[in-house]
Amino acid sequence: MDTVQIALPLPVLPEGWAGEKDFKAIGSLSQATDRNIEPVGPHFLAHARRKRHKRTFSEDDR
Amino acid sequence: MSAQQNPAQRVAIGISFGNSYSSIAFTSGEGRAEVIANEDGDRQIPSILSYVSGEELHGTQAKAQLVRNPRNTVAYFRDFLGQEFKSIDPSPCHQSAHPVPQESTVAFNIRDTPEEKENTVTISEITTRHLKRLRNSASDYLGKSVNSAVITVPTNFSDAQKEALNKAAKEAGIEVLQFINEPVAAVLAYDARPDAKLADKIVVVADLGGTRSDIAVIASRGGIYTLLATHHDYEVSGFQLDQVLIDYFAKEFMKKNKSAGDPRENERALAKLKLESEAVKKALSIGTSAAFSVESLLNGIDFTATINRSRYELLAIKQIAAFTRLVAHAVEKAQLDPLDVSEIIVAGGNAHTPKVASALSAAFPETTKVIAPSTSPTAINPSELAVRGAAIQASLIQEFELEDIEQSTHPMVTVTPHLSHAVGVLCISGEESHGIFHPIVDAETPLPVRRSAIIATPKEGGDVLIKLAEGARHIKVTKPEPKPKEEKEKDEDDSDEDEDESEEEIREKTWKVGKILSEAALRGLQKGAKVEVQVNIGADLSVNAIFREVGGKGGVRGILQGQKGVNGSA
Ligand SMILES: Nc1ncnc2c1ncn2[C@@H]1O[C@H](COP(=O)(O)OP(=O)(O)OP(=O)(O)O)[C@@H](O)[C@H]1O
Ligand SMILES: [Mg+2]
């Protein structure tokens, strides 16, 4: 996948902002929807391989 | 199970098997799909069998028999497979062998032997004979015996229909490696082109075939496809477009031959009209006018006429508008807006008709790319999309054990959580407190997923805040500002006063910021620096994000917990 390019700048860090190791967890993702992906094409095969062998993207890259 | 092919001995092809036409294709060593012409030189092979003195004719030769020998000619039968007689619609077979009930299935009474005795031949046997002919054509072309295939089916083909097709194929010496959905095969045909770029997009496949139309709305996410909605219609079809021409030429004939009668009321004349009208329709896809010519149409009278494309388009305006409405309806069914649709792949033979594509272009926003021969010089032949996809899939899986393929296509593997909202970052806007949402991962993306983005920073560099958030797509509608009344009254000869009201509103795709997920700080950025954000989302909805300056050292890592007990690290 191509990297998403975003031309609008990020905001300046507000005065006094603090977080542990500069990170603050705030919320969690909304519930996902279960759907069937089509078992077709090379990228599906890679997905199936990862899922069946319980591998991650980075393990896959190696 | 009978003897399975040893994967090493497989010779696999792709087959598209339609009610109207079938095609065969294989993938060459270089990974290019090639559509195979049969002995008649056809790449679109009519799915028709005909018997003359016991000799079996197939494809175009069998189609020609619809005039002379209709009751011994079996056509438009694919959808009957695996169905009970009471649930089929026999109307496409009015002018060929009629389907009859046979135990729990459908059959045809035909004289298919040299003795000319009438036999009851089941739909399953007919399908086997048709597939055998396709298999032989492919084997002849490849110089080796084809023994397996990926076959495309409509998205609403039931398990019973697939099972029946699987059995019929086996009888024809074909091991079905996998059935794949026609619209997905079409998308794969495009994505497998060497110059294709992986993207996240909503693709609509709008298939206008011979006896039906099939619409699919597909989320295409980094080369993985999810059907969001499908819609089928058996009224809007290529048959209907043929009928428009049949009616036109029949009336022209009657104008010229006042006492000859209506050729549509004579079975043989109607069959001739129909064949020639389809040929005229095809000719009008390329030429701006086409000639109709039938010898001895009725009562020994030859008939020739011409029609130009714009006349045809006018005559077919209702049918084409109906197809456009089906496409819009499918998008609605997927709970999407036309602005969400990145591309419409116009598929099926009638996609060659320029007006079918241009009507879609007119009905959808400019941002929707309509891909058909008349709108895109690099379009793939729409009649070949399904078979090309099938051939590509065949080459991807032919070395796997059948059991492996079955495991990979099992719901255990295919049922996948999909993001309900887009996930992205907040960029700066006029209003400091708000920020503008920019998506990095789209909604309806299957998990796990990994995506990254490169984001601009303030000119002077320094410290920045990166907020990850969910975003909801919002359609912003702007009504054009009404002109001030006064001005209008002064301007007395302004004749288009009333047009203001009909002026079109402007619709735009925008984002509403949803839940904020996290905040991260990157400090001491260089002037003109760019920030890379990598987001990994697990099947358990955990988020693992990395924020860093492009080319810089270090960076910030953040983790959001997912749901407990679900395994799905990214
Ligand atoms: N060049 C062309 N221009 C216009 N129409 C065409 C052209 N080629 C084929 N068609 C039409 O396309 C239709 C067949 O489409 P396709 O081959 O996709 O059908 P199919 O999938 O076999 O049929 P069905 O939808 O009935 O199952 C027919 O109506 C045919 O007349
Ligand atoms: Mg079709």
Side-chain angles (χ1 to χ4, degrees), chain B residues 17-22 44 47 76 78-79 182 207-214 237-239 242 278 281-283 285 347-353 382-383:
Chain B
F17 169 25
N19 289 297
S20 310
Y21 293 88
S22 296
Q44 275 73 57
S47 306
Y76 309 109
R78 196 250 349 243
D79 283 354
E182 289 168 350
D207 179 341
L208 184 48
T211 65
R212 50 189 286 168
S213 39
D214 301 279
S237 64
F239 268 25
D242 299 344
E278 190 190 358
K281 179 183 74 174
K282 290 184 183 179
S285 293
N350 293 289
H352 287 282
T353 298
S383 299

Side-chain angles (χ1 to χ4, degrees), chain B residues 71-149:
Chain B
R71 295 292 161 259
N72 259 339
T73 303
V74 187
Y76 309 109
F77 56 84
R78 196 250 349 243
D79 283 354
F80 303 160
L81 252 181
Q83 297 228 61
E84 285 182 45
F85 183 77
K86 64 173 195 291
S87 46
I88 66 163
D89 170 14
S91 52
C93 298
H94 274 339
Q95 290 166 267
S96 56
H98 293 173
V100 294
Q102 154 84 1
E103 286 167 18
S104 67
T105 158
V106 177
F108 297 89
N109 291 325
I110 48 174
R111 296 190 304 279
D112 61 338
T113 55
E115 297 78 51
E116 298 271 323
K117 192 176 107 320
E118 191 168 272
N119 290 312
T120 302
V121 185
T122 62
I123 177 69
S124 164
E125 170 64 17
I126 289 291
T127 303
T128 294
R129 291 179 189 180
H130 171 59
L131 293 175
K132 252 188 203 154
R133 297 296 295 255
L134 295 177
R135 175 184 168 222
N136 287 343
S137 297
S139 298
D140 284 352
Y141 182 89
L142 295 172
K144 46 192 171 180
S145 177
V146 167
N147 52 26
S148 52

Side-chain angles (χ1 to χ4, degrees), chain B residues 158-204:
Chain B
S158 67
D159 287 342
Q161 287 178 293
K162 286 179 202 168
E163 204 183 301
L165 180 49
N166 193 24
K167 264 178 79 185
K170 192 168 273 169
E171 290 293 314
I174 300 169
E175 174 193 42
V176 178
L177 301 179
Q178 192 185 351
F179 290 114
I180 64 173
N181 285 323
E182 289 168 350
V184 179
V187 178
L188 180 61
Y190 274 102
D191 280 356
R193 295 208 289 195
D195 55 343
K197 282 218 181 73
L198 275 189
D200 288 341
K201 56 191 174 185
I202 298 289
V203 183
V204 174

Side-chain angles (χ1 to χ4, degrees), chain B residues 211-229:
Chain B
T211 65
R212 50 189 286 168
S213 39
D214 301 279
I215 321 292
V217 181
I218 301 171
S220 170
R221 303 291 187 234
I224 297 185
Y225 315 116
T226 304
L227 288 174
L228 298 180

Side-chain angles (χ1 to χ4, degrees), chain B residues 534-553:
Chain B
Q534 198 192 87
V535 186
N536 286 268
I537 306 175
D540 62 350
L541 294 175
S542 62
V543 182
N544 193 325
I546 300 167
F547 312 89
R548 55 179 202 90
E549 180 177 352
V550 176
K553 280 194 225 97

